[in-house]
Amino acid sequence: QLQLVESGGDLVQPGGSLRLSCAASGFTLDYYSIGWFRQAPGKEREGVSCISRSGGTTNYVDSVKGRFTISRDNAKNTVYLQMNSLKPEDTAVYYCAATNALTYTMCVMRPNGMRYWGKGNLVTVSS
């Protein structure tokens, strides 16, 4: 019954904004660091952002710095990715993933290190 479910993906014009949500059921997210990943057609899955259990440590891939913001609301058992100034190259299926293998203040964007994965949510940036 343990699940991560992404939502919020849509078709949006370049320069627009979206907020992705990752909701957990069957476990408590405050024991996990969270990563957002994406995979575009013909490309390997890449790390986009991550957030530590504490919320005090975050990391972003260079291509989204200054545009994307990751946050978490443990009371709602949900992690968010606010995506602003979207570009066509942001088009991809976005996945959230969780791991409990890290300390309270660490996060990494390594796909192989994540324990639980959502099914993905499509973001399309196009005119």
Side-chain angles (χ1 to χ4, degrees):
Q1 303 296 334
L2 190 152
Q3 294 184 58
L4 291 171
V5 180
E6 304 95 338
S7 63
D10 204 351
L11 171 66
V12 64
Q13 290 186 314
S17 297
L18 288 172
R19 188 182 72 166
L20 301 182
S21 298
C22 174
S25 63
F27 64 103
T28 302
L29 272 188
D30 61 346
Y31 294 106
Y32 293 81
S33 61
I34 305 296
W36 282 98
F37 302 82
R38 66 186 181 186
Q39 188 165 21
K43 296 184 178 180
E44 295 184 355
R45 189 171 300 185
E46 67 168 345
V48 177
S49 184
C50 69
I51 188 166
S52 65
R53 291 172 59 193
S54 68
T57 301
T58 59
N59 195 21
Y60 301 89
V61 67
D62 286 345
S63 60
V64 309
K65 288 181 178 177
R67 300 189 297 120
F68 290 11
T69 303
I70 191 170
S71 63
R72 65 190 302 157
D73 187 341
N74 288 344
K76 296 182 178 180
N77 223 25
T78 301
V79 175
Y80 304 97
L81 185 67
Q82 180 66 46
M83 310 165 69
N84 298 327
S85 301
L86 283 162
K87 303 175 180 179
E89 50 263 45
D90 295 318
T91 296
V93 176
Y94 283 72
Y95 302 86
C96 68
T99 179
N100 61 354
L102 301 176
T103 69
Y104 187 65
T105 58
M106 292 181 63
C107 82
V108 295
M109 298 189 297
R110 296 174 56 209
N112 291 342
M114 312 308 288
R115 174 174 289 186
Y116 303 112
W117 288 84
K119 291 291 196 297
N121 196 236
L122 178 63
V123 172
T124 302
V125 185
S126 177
S127 299

